[in-house]
Amino acid sequence: MTAATPTVTPGGSHGATWPLRHPWLAAIALALAPVVFTAGTSAAAQLSGATEAGGALILAGGAAASAALGLAVMRRSPATLSSYGLRQPARLRAALWLAPAALTVLIMLVSQGIHVGGPTLAAYGVLVVAVALNEETWFRGIVLAVLRARSVRSAVVGSSVLFGVLHLANLAGGEDAGAAILQVVFAALFGLVAAQLVVLTGSLWPVIVWHAAWNFVSFAGGNTTGPGATVGIGIAIAAMLAYALLLRRHLLALTRVETSDEHVAVR
């Protein structure tokens, strides 16, 4: 491990950077941590014979423990928690005030509705917050920082690909292969937009809220696959693709400005 002082530019293209000897291998190993916790608690929930609400709470406990471990890893790294994104977001105007992200959640809510109620819905509320904190801490926090030592592009693309591929773990839970593959593609796209938002705004909080809201609406709708939900997912994917292109343009412009400033500073 090579210690280095992270570049901390709120809202800039630079944030926590954790230089390691083999960044790709380190990123893969670190990305497996939340997957192991999820697999373990999922197995525990199934073996316990818990109700749907009880199983959700068991999964939430595992996700919370994994998130706590992620925060501990952040503290032990060369960077600060603030540089990882645990700070107030900036450049919200460039990110269109996060309106496209909120729109995707609204689209899913309208297209599939709410089919889960009572204690189960409350348990899912706890679960989605724990999962969002967990996955964003590891993927858009730690993994992004490790790969950012190579380049911002490597960090954004690499973290999103890992996020998508590791969703194949859902096959272990008995999910249909076709559905699992579609989830991998969608997760990679979601991860791409989320990583871009973190780099642009310098904060994890917007994507944590977006992640939790998206999952909550999905659970509340009973993960339905009817025509309405399918159309909704298609529209949401189109909105995410457009958002990704917009964010990419802003990131390229921001990177060029910061690179120019660095050259001036060197002179």
Side-chain angles (χ1 to χ4, degrees):
M1 182 185 302
T2 304
T5 302
T7 303
V8 183
T9 306
S13 66
H14 298 288
T17 302
W18 188 359
L20 298 173
R21 183 171 299 178
H22 302 290
W24 287 106
L25 290 178
I28 293 171
L30 290 164
L32 287 172
V35 176
V36 170
F37 271 89
T38 299
T41 51
S42 178
Q46 292 179 20
L47 291 174
S48 70
T51 63
E52 187 175 357
L57 292 176
I58 292 173
L59 288 172
S66 179
L69 176 61
L71 288 173
V73 171
M74 284 182 173
R75 286 184 177 277
R76 297 278 296 178
S77 76
T80 63
L81 292 180
S82 176
S83 68
Y84 274 109
L86 296 177
R87 63 186 178 209
Q88 184 176 348
R91 295 189 183 276
L92 289 177
R93 182 177 181 181
L96 296 184
W97 302 101
L98 310 174
L103 178 62
T104 62
V105 176
L106 181 61
I107 289 169
M108 289 308 299
L109 179 61
V110 172
S111 65
Q112 67 179 23
I114 298 177
H115 303 287
V116 176
T120 301
L121 192 62
Y124 279 140
V126 175
L127 174 61
V128 298
V129 172
V131 168
L133 286 169
N134 177 35
E135 295 186 346
E136 297 309 323
T137 294
W138 285 98
F139 286 96
R140 261 66 69 179
I142 297 168
V143 172
L144 194 73
V146 170
L147 294 179
R148 189 154 27 194
R150 293 185 60 86
S151 69
V152 171
R153 181 180 179 182
S154 294
V156 169
V157 175
S159 63
S160 61
V161 169
L162 282 174
F163 186 63
V165 170
L166 290 177
H167 273 73
L168 283 173
N170 291 328
L171 286 171
E175 188 167 342
D176 175 74
I181 291 173
L182 287 176
Q183 191 174 42
V184 166
V185 175
F186 178 81
L189 175 59
F190 183 97
L192 176 65
V193 176
Q196 289 175 314
L197 281 173
V198 170
V199 175
L200 184 63
T201 67
S203 176
L204 285 170
W205 296 120
V207 295
I208 288 173
V209 173
W210 181 35
H211 196 153
W214 176 274
N215 282 351
F216 184 73
V217 169
S218 297
F219 283 130
N223 285 312
T224 56
T225 56
T230 302
V231 171
I233 291 174
I235 297 173
I237 287 175
M240 283 190 199
L241 284 171
Y243 199 26
L245 292 174
L246 172 76
L247 294 174
R248 179 178 181 274
R249 182 165 60 86
H250 282 298
L251 285 176
L252 287 175
L254 180 61
T255 302
R256 283 196 295 268
V257 169
E258 291 182 346
T259 300
S260 175
D261 289 344
E262 288 174 0
H263 288 164
V264 171
V266 169
R267 291 177 185 176

PDB file of all heavy atoms in Angstrom, residues 29-57:
ATOM      1  N   ALA A  29     -11.287  -7.280  -5.234  1.00  0.00           N
ATOM      2  CA  ALA A  29     -11.334  -7.870  -3.891  1.00  0.00           C
ATOM      3  C   ALA A  29     -12.210  -7.048  -2.956  1.00  0.00           C
ATOM      4  O   ALA A  29     -13.025  -7.600  -2.199  1.00  0.00           O
ATOM      5  CB  ALA A  29      -9.914  -7.975  -3.336  1.00  0.00           C
ATOM      6  N   LEU A  30     -12.073  -5.739  -3.015  1.00  0.00           N
ATOM      7  CA  LEU A  30     -12.867  -4.866  -2.147  1.00  0.00           C
ATOM      8  C   LEU A  30     -14.351  -4.899  -2.524  1.00  0.00           C
ATOM      9  O   LEU A  30     -15.226  -4.830  -1.658  1.00  0.00           O
ATOM     10  CB  LEU A  30     -12.334  -3.440  -2.211  1.00  0.00           C
ATOM     11  CG  LEU A  30     -10.966  -3.227  -1.546  1.00  0.00           C
ATOM     12  CD1 LEU A  30     -10.343  -1.914  -1.994  1.00  0.00           C
ATOM     13  CD2 LEU A  30     -11.099  -3.263  -0.026  1.00  0.00           C
ATOM     14  N   ALA A  31     -14.631  -5.014  -3.826  1.00  0.00           N
ATOM     15  CA  ALA A  31     -16.022  -5.056  -4.273  1.00  0.00           C
ATOM     16  C   ALA A  31     -16.724  -6.332  -3.825  1.00  0.00           C
ATOM     17  O   ALA A  31     -17.965  -6.361  -3.734  1.00  0.00           O
ATOM     18  CB  ALA A  31     -16.080  -4.948  -5.803  1.00  0.00           C
ATOM     19  N   LEU A  32     -15.957  -7.379  -3.547  1.00  0.00           N
ATOM     20  CA  LEU A  32     -16.549  -8.642  -3.104  1.00  0.00           C
ATOM     21  C   LEU A  32     -17.038  -8.580  -1.659  1.00  0.00           C
ATOM     22  O   LEU A  32     -17.874  -9.396  -1.258  1.00  0.00           O
ATOM     23  CB  LEU A  32     -15.536  -9.780  -3.249  1.00  0.00           C
ATOM     24  CG  LEU A  32     -15.258 -10.254  -4.679  1.00  0.00           C
ATOM     25  CD1 LEU A  32     -14.090 -11.238  -4.682  1.00  0.00           C
ATOM     26  CD2 LEU A  32     -16.502 -10.897  -5.289  1.00  0.00           C
ATOM     27  N   ALA A  33     -16.521  -7.628  -0.882  1.00  0.00           N
ATOM     28  CA  ALA A  33     -16.885  -7.554   0.533  1.00  0.00           C
ATOM     29  C   ALA A  33     -18.393  -7.423   0.753  1.00  0.00           C
ATOM     30  O   ALA A  33     -18.985  -8.218   1.493  1.00  0.00           O
ATOM     31  CB  ALA A  33     -16.129  -6.409   1.212  1.00  0.00           C
ATOM     32  N   PRO A  34     -19.076  -6.447   0.138  1.00  0.00           N
ATOM     33  CA  PRO A  34     -20.521  -6.354   0.357  1.00  0.00           C
ATOM     34  C   PRO A  34     -21.284  -7.545  -0.200  1.00  0.00           C
ATOM     35  O   PRO A  34     -22.347  -7.906   0.309  1.00  0.00           O
ATOM     36  CB  PRO A  34     -20.907  -5.056  -0.364  1.00  0.00           C
ATOM     37  CG  PRO A  34     -19.827  -4.832  -1.368  1.00  0.00           C
ATOM     38  CD  PRO A  34     -18.583  -5.366  -0.738  1.00  0.00           C
ATOM     39  N   VAL A  35     -20.739  -8.171  -1.259  1.00  0.00           N
ATOM     40  CA  VAL A  35     -21.398  -9.346  -1.841  1.00  0.00           C
ATOM     41  C   VAL A  35     -21.384 -10.508  -0.854  1.00  0.00           C
ATOM     42  O   VAL A  35     -22.381 -11.229  -0.697  1.00  0.00           O
ATOM     43  CB  VAL A  35     -20.699  -9.759  -3.156  1.00  0.00           C
ATOM     44  CG1 VAL A  35     -21.313 -11.049  -3.712  1.00  0.00           C
ATOM     45  CG2 VAL A  35     -20.807  -8.650  -4.190  1.00  0.00           C
ATOM     46  N   VAL A  36     -20.259 -10.681  -0.164  1.00  0.00           N
ATOM     47  CA  VAL A  36     -20.145 -11.762   0.829  1.00  0.00           C
ATOM     48  C   VAL A  36     -21.143 -11.545   1.961  1.00  0.00           C
ATOM     49  O   VAL A  36     -21.824 -12.481   2.403  1.00  0.00           O
ATOM     50  CB  VAL A  36     -18.704 -11.832   1.379  1.00  0.00           C
ATOM     51  CG1 VAL A  36     -18.629 -12.777   2.577  1.00  0.00           C
ATOM     52  CG2 VAL A  36     -17.744 -12.288   0.280  1.00  0.00           C
ATOM     53  N   PHE A  37     -21.243 -10.301   2.433  1.00  0.00           N
ATOM     54  CA  PHE A  37     -22.200 -10.005   3.502  1.00  0.00           C
ATOM     55  C   PHE A  37     -23.630 -10.283   3.039  1.00  0.00           C
ATOM     56  O   PHE A  37     -24.437 -10.860   3.769  1.00  0.00           O
ATOM     57  CB  PHE A  37     -22.076  -8.536   3.930  1.00  0.00           C
ATOM     58  CG  PHE A  37     -21.074  -8.314   5.028  1.00  0.00           C
ATOM     59  CD1 PHE A  37     -19.745  -8.067   4.731  1.00  0.00           C
ATOM     60  CD2 PHE A  37     -21.466  -8.344   6.360  1.00  0.00           C
ATOM     61  CE1 PHE A  37     -18.811  -7.854   5.736  1.00  0.00           C
ATOM     62  CE2 PHE A  37     -20.544  -8.132   7.372  1.00  0.00           C
ATOM     63  CZ  PHE A  37     -19.216  -7.893   7.064  1.00  0.00           C
ATOM     64  N   THR A  38     -23.940  -9.867   1.816  1.00  0.00           N
ATOM     65  CA  THR A  38     -25.293 -10.059   1.290  1.00  0.00           C
ATOM     66  C   THR A  38     -25.616 -11.533   1.143  1.00  0.00           C
ATOM     67  O   THR A  38     -26.712 -11.983   1.512  1.00  0.00           O
ATOM     68  CB  THR A  38     -25.444  -9.356  -0.080  1.00  0.00           C
ATOM     69  OG1 THR A  38     -25.210  -7.956   0.082  1.00  0.00           O
ATOM     70  CG2 THR A  38     -26.827  -9.581  -0.654  1.00  0.00           C
ATOM     71  N   ALA A  39     -24.668 -12.305   0.607  1.00  0.00           N
ATOM     72  CA  ALA A  39     -24.887 -13.745   0.430  1.00  0.00           C
ATOM     73  C   ALA A  39     -25.083 -14.438   1.777  1.00  0.00           C
ATOM     74  O   ALA A  39     -25.956 -15.298   1.931  1.00  0.00           O
ATOM     75  CB  ALA A  39     -23.710 -14.358  -0.322  1.00  0.00           C
ATOM     76  N   GLY A  40     -24.266 -14.050   2.756  1.00  0.00           N
ATOM     77  CA  GLY A  40     -24.354 -14.672   4.075  1.00  0.00           C
ATOM     78  C   GLY A  40     -25.676 -14.391   4.763  1.00  0.00           C
ATOM     79  O   GLY A  40     -26.329 -15.299   5.296  1.00  0.00           O
ATOM     80  N   THR A  41     -26.090 -13.133   4.739  1.00  0.00           N
ATOM     81  CA  THR A  41     -27.344 -12.785   5.413  1.00  0.00           C
ATOM     82  C   THR A  41     -28.553 -13.299   4.638  1.00  0.00           C
ATOM     83  O   THR A  41     -29.584 -13.618   5.229  1.00  0.00           O
ATOM     84  CB  THR A  41     -27.459 -11.268   5.609  1.00  0.00           C
ATOM     85  OG1 THR A  41     -27.219 -10.604   4.357  1.00  0.00           O
ATOM     86  CG2 THR A  41     -26.460 -10.781   6.637  1.00  0.00           C
ATOM     87  N   SER A  42     -28.438 -13.402   3.307  1.00  0.00           N
ATOM     88  CA  SER A  42     -29.527 -13.957   2.509  1.00  0.00           C
ATOM     89  C   SER A  42     -29.738 -15.423   2.859  1.00  0.00           C
ATOM     90  O   SER A  42     -30.884 -15.884   3.014  1.00  0.00           O
ATOM     91  CB  SER A  42     -29.216 -13.813   1.018  1.00  0.00           C
ATOM     92  OG  SER A  42     -30.238 -14.385   0.234  1.00  0.00           O
ATOM     93  N   ALA A  43     -28.630 -16.161   3.003  1.00  0.00           N
ATOM     94  CA  ALA A  43     -28.723 -17.568   3.392  1.00  0.00           C
ATOM     95  C   ALA A  43     -29.309 -17.694   4.794  1.00  0.00           C
ATOM     96  O   ALA A  43     -30.150 -18.576   5.057  1.00  0.00           O
ATOM     97  CB  ALA A  43     -27.343 -18.207   3.336  1.00  0.00           C
ATOM     98  N   ALA A  44     -28.889 -16.802   5.686  1.00  0.00           N
ATOM     99  CA  ALA A  44     -29.402 -16.832   7.056  1.00  0.00           C
ATOM    100  C   ALA A  44     -30.903 -16.565   7.085  1.00  0.00           C
ATOM    101  O   ALA A  44     -31.650 -17.206   7.829  1.00  0.00           O
ATOM    102  CB  ALA A  44     -28.671 -15.793   7.909  1.00  0.00           C
ATOM    103  N   ALA A  45     -31.354 -15.638   6.255  1.00  0.00           N
ATOM    104  CA  ALA A  45     -32.779 -15.306   6.206  1.00  0.00           C
ATOM    105  C   ALA A  45     -33.596 -16.488   5.696  1.00  0.00           C
ATOM    106  O   ALA A  45     -34.678 -16.787   6.219  1.00  0.00           O
ATOM    107  CB  ALA A  45     -32.996 -14.085   5.308  1.00  0.00           C
ATOM    108  N   GLN A  46     -33.072 -17.184   4.689  1.00  0.00           N
ATOM    109  CA  GLN A  46     -33.785 -18.333   4.138  1.00  0.00           C
ATOM    110  C   GLN A  46     -33.827 -19.492   5.128  1.00  0.00           C
ATOM    111  O   GLN A  46     -34.856 -20.156   5.286  1.00  0.00           O
ATOM    112  CB  GLN A  46     -33.128 -18.777   2.833  1.00  0.00           C
ATOM    113  CG  GLN A  46     -33.288 -17.780   1.697  1.00  0.00           C
ATOM    114  CD  GLN A  46     -32.610 -18.231   0.420  1.00  0.00           C
ATOM    115  OE1 GLN A  46     -32.327 -19.407   0.231  1.00  0.00           O
ATOM    116  NE2 GLN A  46     -32.347 -17.295  -0.476  1.00  0.00           N
ATOM    117  N   LEU A  47     -32.716 -19.729   5.806  1.00  0.00           N
ATOM    118  CA  LEU A  47     -32.655 -20.840   6.759  1.00  0.00           C
ATOM    119  C   LEU A  47     -33.476 -20.571   8.019  1.00  0.00           C
ATOM    120  O   LEU A  47     -33.936 -21.505   8.674  1.00  0.00           O
ATOM    121  CB  LEU A  47     -31.191 -21.104   7.151  1.00  0.00           C
ATOM    122  CG  LEU A  47     -30.295 -21.674   6.045  1.00  0.00           C
ATOM    123  CD1 LEU A  47     -28.851 -21.737   6.517  1.00  0.00           C
ATOM    124  CD2 LEU A  47     -30.778 -23.057   5.622  1.00  0.00           C
ATOM    125  N   SER A  48     -33.663 -19.311   8.333  1.00  0.00           N
ATOM    126  CA  SER A  48     -34.394 -18.966   9.561  1.00  0.00           C
ATOM    127  C   SER A  48     -35.895 -19.190   9.428  1.00  0.00           C
ATOM    128  O   SER A  48     -36.612 -19.275  10.421  1.00  0.00           O
ATOM    129  CB  SER A  48     -34.142 -17.502   9.930  1.00  0.00           C
ATOM    130  OG  SER A  48     -34.772 -16.636   8.992  1.00  0.00           O
ATOM    131  N   GLY A  49     -36.370 -19.265   8.194  1.00  0.00           N
ATOM    132  CA  GLY A  49     -37.802 -19.422   7.980  1.00  0.00           C
ATOM    133  C   GLY A  49     -38.586 -18.171   8.354  1.00  0.00           C
ATOM    134  O   GLY A  49     -39.776 -18.238   8.643  1.00  0.00           O
ATOM    135  N   ALA A  50     -37.904 -17.020   8.332  1.00  0.00           N
ATOM    136  CA  ALA A  50     -38.545 -15.754   8.720  1.00  0.00           C
ATOM    137  C   ALA A  50     -39.598 -15.335   7.710  1.00  0.00           C
ATOM    138  O   ALA A  50     -39.600 -15.784   6.553  1.00  0.00           O
ATOM    139  CB  ALA A  50     -37.482 -14.663   8.849  1.00  0.00           C
ATOM    140  N   THR A  51     -40.501 -14.499   8.148  1.00  0.00           N
ATOM    141  CA  THR A  51     -41.492 -13.924   7.251  1.00  0.00           C
ATOM    142  C   THR A  51     -40.797 -12.994   6.259  1.00  0.00           C
ATOM    143  O   THR A  51     -39.590 -12.715   6.388  1.00  0.00           O
ATOM    144  CB  THR A  51     -42.531 -13.121   8.044  1.00  0.00           C
ATOM    145  OG1 THR A  51     -41.863 -12.023   8.693  1.00  0.00           O
ATOM    146  CG2 THR A  51     -43.225 -13.993   9.077  1.00  0.00           C
ATOM    147  N   GLU A  52     -41.546 -12.488   5.282  1.00  0.00           N
ATOM    148  CA  GLU A  52     -40.959 -11.563   4.313  1.00  0.00           C
ATOM    149  C   GLU A  52     -40.401 -10.333   5.013  1.00  0.00           C
ATOM    150  O   GLU A  52     -39.287  -9.888   4.710  1.00  0.00           O
ATOM    151  CB  GLU A  52     -42.012 -11.155   3.284  1.00  0.00           C
ATOM    152  CG  GLU A  52     -41.451 -10.325   2.143  1.00  0.00           C
ATOM    153  CD  GLU A  52     -42.482 -10.031   1.067  1.00  0.00           C
ATOM    154  OE1 GLU A  52     -43.621 -10.530   1.190  1.00  0.00           O
ATOM    155  OE2 GLU A  52     -42.164  -9.301   0.104  1.00  0.00           O
ATOM    156  N   ALA A  53     -41.138  -9.813   5.975  1.00  0.00           N
ATOM    157  CA  ALA A  53     -40.666  -8.645   6.714  1.00  0.00           C
ATOM    158  C   ALA A  53     -39.454  -8.993   7.565  1.00  0.00           C
ATOM    159  O   ALA A  53     -38.473  -8.240   7.619  1.00  0.00           O
ATOM    160  CB  ALA A  53     -41.780  -8.095   7.605  1.00  0.00           C
ATOM    161  N   GLY A  54     -39.506 -10.144   8.213  1.00  0.00           N
ATOM    162  CA  GLY A  54     -38.378 -10.566   9.042  1.00  0.00           C
ATOM    163  C   GLY A  54     -37.132 -10.803   8.220  1.00  0.00           C
ATOM    164  O   GLY A  54     -36.014 -10.438   8.628  1.00  0.00           O
ATOM    165  N   GLY A  55     -37.294 -11.413   7.043  1.00  0.00           N
ATOM    166  CA  GLY A  55     -36.150 -11.639   6.160  1.00  0.00           C
ATOM    167  C   GLY A  55     -35.532 -10.340   5.703  1.00  0.00           C
ATOM    168  O   GLY A  55     -34.302 -10.214   5.610  1.00  0.00           O
ATOM    169  N   ALA A  56     -36.381  -9.342   5.417  1.00  0.00           N
ATOM    170  CA  ALA A  56     -35.868  -8.035   5.004  1.00  0.00           C
ATOM    171  C   ALA A  56     -35.036  -7.396   6.103  1.00  0.00           C
ATOM    172  O   ALA A  56     -33.991  -6.781   5.848  1.00  0.00           O
ATOM    173  CB  ALA A  56     -37.028  -7.120   4.614  1.00  0.00           C
ATOM    174  N   LEU A  57     -35.477  -7.565   7.348  1.00  0.00           N
ATOM    175  CA  LEU A  57     -34.731  -6.985   8.467  1.00  0.00           C
ATOM    176  C   LEU A  57     -33.412  -7.703   8.691  1.00  0.00           C
ATOM    177  O   LEU A  57     -32.408  -7.090   9.071  1.00  0.00           O
ATOM    178  CB  LEU A  57     -35.588  -7.021   9.733  1.00  0.00           C
ATOM    179  CG  LEU A  57     -36.811  -6.092   9.724  1.00  0.00           C
ATOM    180  CD1 LEU A  57     -37.633  -6.278  10.993  1.00  0.00           C
ATOM    181  CD2 LEU A  57     -36.382  -4.629   9.573  1.00  0.00           C
TER     182      LEU A  57
END
